Amino acid sequence: MKRSFALVICAAQFSFPLTASAQSMSDTSHVLSNLQQSRSATKELLSTLRTLLAKELSRGGAVGAINICADSAQTMGERIQDRHGLSIRRVSEKWRNPKNKPDTYESEQLKMLADLHAKKGLTDTLEVYGIVKEDSVQVFRYMRPILISEMCLSCHGSSEKMKDLIYSVVRSRYPNDKAVDYKAGELRGAVSVRIKIKAR
Protein backbone atom coordinates (compact mmCIF):
# COMPACT_ATOMS: atom_id res chain seq x y z
CA MET A 1 0.00 0.00 0.00
CA LYS A 2 1.61 3.24 -1.12
CA ARG A 3 1.09 6.15 1.24
CA SER A 4 1.77 9.86 1.00
CA PHE A 5 0.39 12.57 3.23
CA ALA A 6 0.25 16.22 4.08
CA LEU A 7 0.54 16.68 7.83
CA VAL A 8 -0.75 19.48 10.02
CA ILE A 9 -0.27 19.77 13.76
CA CYS A 10 -2.21 22.29 15.81
CA ALA A 11 -3.92 22.87 19.11
CA ALA A 12 -7.59 21.99 19.03
CA GLN A 13 -8.72 25.47 19.93
CA PHE A 14 -7.01 26.99 16.89
CA SER A 15 -8.54 27.21 13.43
CA PHE A 16 -7.17 25.28 10.47
CA PRO A 17 -3.75 26.72 9.54
CA LEU A 18 -3.63 27.91 5.93
CA THR A 19 0.15 28.01 5.67
CA ALA A 20 2.38 24.94 5.55
CA SER A 21 0.01 22.50 3.91
CA ALA A 22 -2.40 24.73 2.02
CA GLN A 23 -1.15 23.60 -1.39
CA SER A 24 -1.27 19.92 -0.47
CA MET A 25 -4.81 20.39 0.83
CA SER A 26 -6.09 22.58 -1.98
CA ASP A 27 -9.80 22.05 -1.19
CA THR A 28 -9.71 23.77 2.18
CA SER A 29 -13.47 23.72 2.71
CA HIS A 30 -13.49 19.94 2.23
CA VAL A 31 -10.65 19.52 4.72
CA LEU A 32 -12.42 21.76 7.22
CA SER A 33 -15.57 19.70 6.91
CA ASN A 34 -13.67 16.47 7.62
CA LEU A 35 -11.79 18.13 10.46
CA GLN A 36 -14.98 19.30 12.16
CA GLN A 37 -16.54 15.87 11.68
CA SER A 38 -13.46 14.22 13.23
CA ARG A 39 -13.44 16.63 16.16
CA SER A 40 -17.12 16.03 16.86
CA ALA A 41 -16.79 12.24 16.77
CA THR A 42 -13.64 12.31 18.94
CA LYS A 43 -15.23 14.60 21.52
CA GLU A 44 -18.29 12.36 21.70
CA LEU A 45 -16.20 9.20 22.16
CA LEU A 46 -13.90 10.63 24.83
CA SER A 47 -16.57 12.45 26.85
CA THR A 48 -18.94 9.48 26.86
CA LEU A 49 -16.18 7.03 27.78
CA ARG A 50 -14.88 9.22 30.60
CA THR A 51 -18.37 9.63 32.03
CA LEU A 52 -19.00 5.88 32.00
CA LEU A 53 -15.62 5.13 33.56
CA ALA A 54 -16.06 7.74 36.30
CA LYS A 55 -19.48 6.33 37.23
CA GLU A 56 -18.16 2.77 37.37
CA LEU A 57 -15.09 3.69 39.40
CA SER A 58 -17.16 5.77 41.83
CA ARG A 59 -18.98 2.54 42.69
CA GLY A 60 -15.61 0.91 43.34
CA GLY A 61 -15.85 -1.13 40.20
CA ALA A 62 -12.39 -1.29 38.63
CA VAL A 63 -13.29 -4.67 37.13
CA GLY A 64 -16.40 -3.07 35.65
CA ALA A 65 -14.22 -0.28 34.27
CA ILE A 66 -12.14 -2.89 32.46
CA ASN A 67 -15.29 -4.19 30.83
CA ILE A 68 -16.30 -0.67 29.78
CA CYS A 69 -12.95 -0.11 28.06
CA ALA A 70 -13.05 -3.58 26.54
CA ASP A 71 -16.67 -3.87 25.47
CA SER A 72 -18.66 -0.65 25.84
CA ALA A 73 -15.97 1.46 24.18
CA GLN A 74 -15.98 -0.78 21.11
CA THR A 75 -19.77 -0.64 20.84
CA MET A 76 -19.69 3.09 21.41
CA GLY A 77 -17.16 3.51 18.63
CA GLU A 78 -19.30 1.52 16.23
CA ARG A 79 -22.34 3.68 16.96
CA ILE A 80 -20.34 6.88 16.46
CA GLN A 81 -18.94 5.50 13.20
CA ASP A 82 -22.43 4.81 11.89
CA ARG A 83 -23.73 8.20 12.99
CA HIS A 84 -20.84 10.24 11.57
CA GLY A 85 -19.96 8.09 8.56
CA LEU A 86 -16.30 7.54 9.44
CA SER A 87 -13.93 5.11 11.14
CA ILE A 88 -12.87 5.86 14.73
CA ARG A 89 -10.88 3.92 17.30
CA ARG A 90 -8.34 4.28 20.08
CA VAL A 91 -4.78 3.21 19.29
CA SER A 92 -1.62 2.72 21.33
CA GLU A 93 1.82 1.20 20.99
CA LYS A 94 1.16 -0.33 24.42
CA TRP A 95 -2.16 -1.85 23.46
CA ARG A 96 -4.37 -3.98 25.63
CA ASN A 97 -6.88 -5.03 22.98
CA PRO A 98 -5.14 -6.20 19.77
CA LYS A 99 -7.82 -4.32 17.83
CA ASN A 100 -6.17 -1.12 19.06
CA LYS A 101 -2.79 -1.92 17.55
CA PRO A 102 -1.76 1.05 15.36
CA ASP A 103 -1.21 0.91 11.62
CA THR A 104 1.89 2.42 10.00
CA TYR A 105 0.51 5.96 9.82
CA GLU A 106 -0.73 5.82 13.40
CA SER A 107 2.61 4.48 14.66
CA GLU A 108 4.43 7.36 12.97
CA GLN A 109 2.17 9.94 14.57
CA LEU A 110 2.30 8.25 17.98
CA LYS A 111 6.09 8.43 17.84
CA MET A 112 5.88 12.12 17.04
CA LEU A 113 3.45 12.66 19.92
CA ALA A 114 5.76 10.73 22.25
CA ASP A 115 8.67 12.96 21.21
CA LEU A 116 6.57 16.06 21.93
CA HIS A 117 5.59 14.63 25.29
CA ALA A 118 9.23 14.00 26.17
CA LYS A 119 9.94 17.67 25.39
CA LYS A 120 7.01 18.80 27.57
CA GLY A 121 5.23 20.09 24.47
CA LEU A 122 2.17 17.83 24.43
CA THR A 123 -1.36 18.52 25.64
CA ASP A 124 -4.52 16.52 25.06
CA THR A 125 -5.91 19.38 22.94
CA LEU A 126 -3.25 18.95 20.28
CA GLU A 127 -4.37 17.50 16.93
CA VAL A 128 -2.60 15.82 14.05
CA TYR A 129 -4.40 15.63 10.72
CA GLY A 130 -3.68 15.30 7.04
CA ILE A 131 -4.57 13.64 3.77
CA VAL A 132 -3.10 10.22 3.15
CA LYS A 133 -3.08 8.43 -0.19
CA GLU A 134 -3.75 4.74 0.34
CA ASP A 135 -3.39 2.97 -2.99
CA SER A 136 -5.58 5.13 -5.23
CA VAL A 137 -7.86 6.43 -2.48
CA GLN A 138 -7.38 9.70 -0.59
CA VAL A 139 -8.14 9.42 3.11
CA PHE A 140 -8.40 12.16 5.69
CA ARG A 141 -6.59 11.10 8.86
CA TYR A 142 -7.01 12.70 12.26
CA MET A 143 -5.46 11.90 15.64
CA ARG A 144 -5.78 13.41 19.09
CA PRO A 145 -3.64 12.22 22.02
CA ILE A 146 -4.97 10.49 25.13
CA LEU A 147 -3.09 11.21 28.35
CA ILE A 148 -3.28 9.02 31.43
CA SER A 149 -5.42 10.50 34.20
CA GLU A 150 -5.53 9.44 37.85
CA MET A 151 -8.69 7.40 37.31
CA CYS A 152 -6.89 5.29 34.68
CA LEU A 153 -4.23 4.06 37.10
CA SER A 154 -6.29 1.37 38.83
CA CYS A 155 -6.24 -0.59 35.56
CA HIS A 156 -3.20 0.88 33.78
CA GLY A 157 -0.85 1.76 36.64
CA SER A 158 1.96 -0.21 38.24
CA SER A 159 1.55 -3.93 37.55
CA GLU A 160 3.26 -4.66 40.89
CA LYS A 161 0.77 -2.54 42.85
CA MET A 162 -2.31 -3.53 40.86
CA LYS A 163 -4.83 -5.56 42.85
CA ASP A 164 -4.65 -9.28 42.12
CA LEU A 165 -8.29 -9.47 41.02
CA ILE A 166 -7.91 -6.64 38.53
CA TYR A 167 -4.65 -8.02 37.17
CA SER A 168 -6.10 -11.51 36.78
CA VAL A 169 -9.17 -10.16 34.95
CA VAL A 170 -6.96 -8.18 32.57
CA ARG A 171 -4.69 -11.15 31.91
CA SER A 172 -7.58 -13.53 31.39
CA ARG A 173 -9.08 -11.28 28.73
CA TYR A 174 -5.82 -10.03 27.24
CA PRO A 175 -2.91 -12.42 27.83
CA ASN A 176 -0.61 -10.23 25.71
CA ASP A 177 -1.57 -7.00 27.47
CA LYS A 178 1.00 -4.19 27.26
CA ALA A 179 -1.07 -1.38 28.78
CA VAL A 180 0.35 -1.25 32.31
CA ASP A 181 3.01 0.60 34.32
CA TYR A 182 1.80 4.05 33.32
CA LYS A 183 1.99 7.18 35.46
CA ALA A 184 -0.49 10.04 35.49
CA GLY A 185 0.14 12.48 32.65
CA GLU A 186 1.90 9.99 30.38
CA LEU A 187 0.86 9.43 26.78
CA ARG A 188 -1.55 6.50 26.61
CA GLY A 189 -2.21 6.64 22.88
CA ALA A 190 -4.63 8.53 20.65
CA VAL A 191 -8.06 8.61 19.13
CA SER A 192 -7.68 7.92 15.42
CA VAL A 193 -10.21 8.86 12.74
CA ARG A 194 -10.28 7.90 9.06
CA ILE A 195 -12.59 9.45 6.46
CA LYS A 196 -12.44 8.36 2.82
CA ILE A 197 -12.55 11.39 0.56
CA LYS A 198 -15.10 11.03 -2.19
CA ALA A 199 -13.95 11.92 -5.69
CA ARG A 200 -15.56 15.03 -7.10
Side-chain angles (χ1 to χ4, degrees), residues 23-71:
Q23 290 182 341
S24 299
M25 300 183 190
S26 56
D27 189 348
T28 306
S29 62
H30 195 59
V31 172
L32 279 172
S33 175
N34 288 329
L35 177 58
Q36 293 301 332
Q37 195 175 359
S38 299
R39 284 174 173 168
S40 178
T42 298
K43 182 179 179 180
E44 182 179 350
L45 178 64
L46 290 177
S47 62
T48 306
L49 182 57
R50 285 168 181 161
T51 299
L52 288 174
L53 286 172
K55 286 181 179 179
E56 191 64 39
L57 288 169
S58 69
R59 294 197 293 259
V63 172
I66 294 171
N67 294 329
I68 286 176
C69 277
D71 302 321

Coordinates of all heavy atoms in Angstrom, one line a residue, residues 23-71:
Q23 N -1.2 24.1 0.0 CA -1.2 23.6 -1.4 C -1.5 22.1 -1.5 O -2.2 21.7 -2.4 CB 0.2 23.9 -2.0 CG 0.5 25.3 -2.2 CD 1.9 25.6 -2.9 OE1 2.7 24.7 -2.8 NE2 2.0 26.7 -3.5
S24 N -1.0 21.4 -0.5 CA -1.3 19.9 -0.5 C -2.7 19.7 -0.2 O -3.3 18.7 -0.7 CB -0.4 19.2 0.6 OG 0.9 19.4 0.3
M25 N -3.4 20.5 0.5 CA -4.8 20.4 0.8 C -5.6 21.5 0.1 O -6.0 22.5 0.8 CB -5.1 20.4 2.3 CG -4.4 19.4 3.1 SD -4.8 19.4 4.8 CE -3.6 18.3 5.5
S26 N -5.6 21.5 -1.2 CA -6.1 22.6 -2.0 C -7.6 22.9 -1.7 O -8.0 24.0 -1.8 CB -5.9 22.3 -3.5 OG -6.4 21.1 -3.9
D27 N -8.4 21.8 -1.5 CA -9.8 22.0 -1.2 C -10.0 22.3 0.3 O -10.3 21.4 1.0 CB -10.6 20.8 -1.7 CG -12.1 21.1 -1.6 OD1 -12.5 22.1 -1.0 OD2 -12.9 20.3 -2.2
T28 N -9.7 23.5 0.8 CA -9.7 23.8 2.2 C -11.1 23.5 2.8 O -11.2 23.0 3.9 CB -9.3 25.2 2.4 OG1 -8.0 25.4 1.8 CG2 -9.1 25.5 3.9
S29 N -12.1 23.9 2.1 CA -13.5 23.7 2.7 C -13.8 22.2 3.0 O -14.4 21.9 4.0 CB -14.5 24.3 1.8 OG -14.5 23.6 0.5
H30 N -13.3 21.4 2.1 CA -13.5 19.9 2.2 C -12.7 19.4 3.4 O -13.2 18.6 4.2 CB -13.1 19.2 0.9 CG -13.5 17.8 0.9 ND1 -14.9 17.5 0.9 CD2 -12.8 16.6 0.8 CE1 -15.0 16.2 0.8 NE2 -13.8 15.6 0.7
V31 N -11.5 19.9 3.6 CA -10.7 19.5 4.7 C -11.3 20.0 6.0 O -11.4 19.3 7.0 CB -9.2 20.1 4.6 CG1 -8.4 19.9 5.9 CG2 -8.5 19.5 3.4
L32 N -11.8 21.2 6.0 CA -12.4 21.8 7.2 C -13.6 20.9 7.6 O -13.9 20.7 8.8 CB -12.8 23.2 7.0 CG -11.7 24.3 7.2 CD1 -12.2 25.6 6.7 CD2 -11.2 24.3 8.6
S33 N -14.4 20.5 6.6 CA -15.6 19.7 6.9 C -15.2 18.4 7.6 O -15.8 18.0 8.6 CB -16.3 19.4 5.6 OG -17.4 18.5 5.8
N34 N -14.1 17.7 7.0 CA -13.7 16.5 7.6 C -13.1 16.7 9.0 O -13.2 15.8 9.9 CB -12.6 15.8 6.7 CG -13.3 15.3 5.4 OD1 -14.4 14.8 5.4 ND2 -12.5 15.3 4.4
L35 N -12.4 17.8 9.2 CA -11.8 18.1 10.5 C -12.9 18.3 11.5 O -12.8 17.8 12.6 CB -10.9 19.4 10.3 CG -10.3 19.9 11.6 CD1 -9.4 18.9 12.2 CD2 -9.5 21.2 11.3
Q36 N -13.9 19.1 11.2 CA -15.0 19.3 12.2 C -15.7 18.0 12.5 O -16.1 17.8 13.6 CB -16.0 20.3 11.6 CG -15.4 21.7 11.5 CD -14.9 22.3 12.8 OE1 -15.4 22.0 13.9 NE2 -13.9 23.2 12.8
Q37 N -15.9 17.2 11.5 CA -16.5 15.9 11.7 C -15.7 15.0 12.6 O -16.2 14.3 13.5 CB -16.7 15.2 10.3 CG -17.7 14.0 10.3 CD -17.9 13.5 8.9 OE1 -17.4 14.0 7.9 NE2 -18.7 12.4 8.8
S38 N -14.4 15.0 12.4 CA -13.5 14.2 13.2 C -13.4 14.7 14.7 O -13.5 13.9 15.6 CB -12.0 14.3 12.7 OG -12.0 13.7 11.3
R39 N -13.4 16.0 14.8 CA -13.4 16.6 16.2 C -14.7 16.3 16.9 O -14.7 15.9 18.1 CB -13.3 18.1 16.1 CG -12.0 18.7 15.7 CD -12.0 20.2 15.5 NE -10.6 20.7 15.4 CZ -10.4 21.9 15.0 NH1 -11.4 22.7 14.6 NH2 -9.1 22.4 14.9
S40 N -15.8 16.3 16.2 CA -17.1 16.0 16.9 C -17.2 14.6 17.3 O -17.6 14.3 18.4 CB -18.3 16.3 15.9 OG -19.5 16.0 16.4
A41 N -16.8 13.7 16.4 CA -16.8 12.2 16.8 C -15.8 11.9 17.9 O -16.2 11.1 18.8 CB -16.4 11.4 15.5
T42 N -14.6 12.5 17.9 CA -13.6 12.3 18.9 C -14.1 12.8 20.3 O -14.0 12.1 21.3 CB -12.3 13.0 18.6 OG1 -11.8 12.4 17.4 CG2 -11.3 12.8 19.7
K43 N -14.7 14.0 20.3 CA -15.2 14.6 21.5 C -16.3 13.7 22.1 O -16.4 13.5 23.3 CB -15.8 16.0 21.3 CG -16.3 16.7 22.5 CD -16.8 18.1 22.2 CE -17.4 18.8 23.4 NZ -17.9 20.1 23.1
E44 N -17.2 13.2 21.2 CA -18.3 12.4 21.7 C -17.7 11.1 22.3 O -18.2 10.6 23.4 CB -19.2 12.0 20.5 CG -20.4 11.2 20.9 CD -21.3 10.9 19.7 OE1 -21.2 11.5 18.7 OE2 -22.2 10.0 19.9
L45 N -16.8 10.4 21.7 CA -16.2 9.2 22.2 C -15.5 9.4 23.5 O -15.8 8.7 24.5 CB -15.2 8.6 21.1 CG -14.5 7.4 21.6 CD1 -15.5 6.2 21.7 CD2 -13.4 7.0 20.6
L46 N -14.7 10.4 23.6 CA -13.9 10.6 24.8 C -14.8 11.0 26.0 O -14.6 10.5 27.1 CB -12.8 11.7 24.6 CG -11.6 11.3 23.7 CD1 -10.7 12.4 23.5 CD2 -10.9 10.1 24.3
S47 N -15.7 12.0 25.7 CA -16.6 12.5 26.8 C -17.5 11.4 27.4 O -17.7 11.2 28.6 CB -17.4 13.7 26.4 OG -18.3 13.3 25.3
T48 N -18.0 10.6 26.4 CA -18.9 9.5 26.9 C -18.2 8.4 27.6 O -18.6 7.9 28.7 CB -19.6 8.8 25.6 OG1 -20.3 9.9 24.9 CG2 -20.7 7.8 26.1
L49 N -17.0 8.1 27.1 CA -16.2 7.0 27.8 C -15.7 7.5 29.2 O -15.8 6.7 30.1 CB -15.0 6.7 26.9 CG -14.0 5.6 27.4 CD1 -14.8 4.3 27.6 CD2 -12.9 5.4 26.4
R50 N -15.3 8.7 29.3 CA -14.9 9.2 30.6 C -16.0 9.2 31.6 O -15.8 8.9 32.8 CB -14.3 10.6 30.4 CG -12.9 10.6 29.8 CD -12.4 12.0 29.4 NE -11.1 12.0 28.8 CZ -10.6 12.9 28.0 NH1 -11.4 14.0 27.7 NH2 -9.4 12.8 27.5
T51 N -17.2 9.6 31.1 CA -18.4 9.6 32.0 C -18.7 8.2 32.5 O -19.0 8.0 33.7 CB -19.6 10.2 31.3 OG1 -19.3 11.6 30.9 CG2 -20.8 10.2 32.2
L52 N -18.7 7.3 31.6 CA -19.0 5.9 32.0 C -18.0 5.3 33.0 O -18.3 4.7 34.0 CB -19.1 5.0 30.8 CG -20.3 5.2 29.8 CD1 -20.1 4.3 28.6 CD2 -21.6 4.8 30.6
L53 N -16.7 5.6 32.7 CA -15.6 5.1 33.6 C -15.7 5.7 35.0 O -15.5 5.1 36.0 CB -14.3 5.4 32.9 CG -13.8 4.6 31.8 CD1 -12.6 5.1 31.1 CD2 -13.7 3.1 32.2
A54 N -16.0 7.1 35.0 CA -16.1 7.7 36.3 C -17.2 7.2 37.1 O -17.1 7.0 38.4 CB -16.3 9.2 36.1
K55 N -18.3 6.9 36.5 CA -19.5 6.3 37.2 C -19.1 4.9 37.8 O -19.5 4.6 38.9 CB -20.7 6.3 36.3 CG -21.4 7.6 36.0 CD -22.6 7.4 35.1 CE -23.3 8.8 34.9 NZ -24.4 8.6 34.0
E56 N -18.5 4.1 36.9 CA -18.2 2.8 37.4 C -17.1 2.8 38.5 O -17.3 2.0 39.5 CB -17.6 2.0 36.2 CG -17.5 0.5 36.4 CD -18.8 -0.2 36.6 OE1 -19.8 0.2 36.0 OE2 -18.9 -1.1 37.5
L57 N -16.1 3.6 38.4 CA -15.1 3.7 39.4 C -15.6 4.3 40.7 O -15.1 3.9 41.8 CB -13.9 4.5 38.9 CG -13.1 3.8 37.8 CD1 -12.1 4.8 37.2 CD2 -12.3 2.6 38.4
S58 N -16.6 5.2 40.6 CA -17.2 5.8 41.8 C -17.9 4.7 42.6 O -18.1 4.9 43.9 CB -18.1 6.9 41.5 OG -19.3 6.4 40.8
R59 N -18.3 3.6 42.0 CA -19.0 2.5 42.7 C -18.0 1.5 43.1 O -18.3 0.4 43.6 CB -20.0 1.9 41.8 CG -21.2 2.8 41.4 CD -22.3 1.9 40.8 NE -22.0 1.3 39.6 CZ -22.4 1.9 38.4 NH1 -23.1 3.0 38.4 NH2 -22.1 1.3 37.2
G60 N -16.7 1.8 42.9 CA -15.6 0.9 43.3 C -15.4 -0.2 42.4 O -14.9 -1.3 42.8
G61 N -15.9 0.0 41.2 CA -15.8 -1.1 40.2 C -14.7 -1.1 39.2 O -15.0 -0.8 38.0
A62 N -13.5 -1.3 39.6 CA -12.4 -1.3 38.6 C -12.5 -2.4 37.6 O -12.2 -2.3 36.4 CB -11.1 -1.4 39.4
V63 N -13.1 -3.6 38.1 CA -13.3 -4.7 37.1 C -14.3 -4.3 36.1 O -14.2 -4.6 34.9 CB -13.7 -5.9 37.9 CG1 -14.1 -7.0 36.9 CG2 -12.6 -6.4 38.8
G64 N -15.4 -3.6 36.6 CA -16.4 -3.1 35.6 C -15.8 -2.1 34.7 O -16.2 -2.0 33.5
A65 N -14.9 -1.3 35.1 CA -14.2 -0.3 34.3 C -13.4 -1.0 33.2 O -13.4 -0.5 32.0 CB -13.3 0.6 35.1
I66 N -12.8 -2.1 33.5 CA -12.1 -2.9 32.5 C -13.1 -3.3 31.4 O -12.8 -3.2 30.2 CB -11.5 -4.1 33.1 CG1 -10.3 -3.7 34.0 CG2 -10.9 -5.1 32.0 CD1 -9.8 -4.8 34.8
N67 N -14.3 -3.8 31.8 CA -15.3 -4.2 30.8 C -15.8 -3.0 30.0 O -16.1 -3.2 28.8 CB -16.5 -4.9 31.6 CG -16.1 -6.2 32.2 OD1 -15.2 -6.9 31.7 ND2 -16.7 -6.5 33.3
I68 N -15.9 -1.8 30.6 CA -16.3 -0.7 29.8 C -15.3 -0.4 28.7 O -15.6 -0.2 27.5 CB -16.5 0.5 30.7 CG1 -17.8 0.4 31.5 CG2 -16.6 1.8 29.9 CD1 -18.0 1.5 32.5
C69 N -14.0 -0.4 29.1 CA -13.0 -0.1 28.1 C -12.9 -1.2 27.0 O -12.7 -0.9 25.8 CB -11.6 0.0 28.8 SG -11.2 1.6 29.4
A70 N -13.2 -2.4 27.5 CA -13.1 -3.6 26.5 C -14.3 -3.7 25.6 O -14.1 -4.0 24.4 CB -12.8 -4.9 27.3
D71 N -15.4 -3.6 26.2 CA -16.7 -3.9 25.5 C -17.5 -2.6 25.1 O -17.7 -2.4 23.9 CB -17.6 -4.8 26.3 CG -16.9 -6.1 26.7 OD1 -16.1 -6.6 25.8 OD2 -17.0 -6.6 27.8

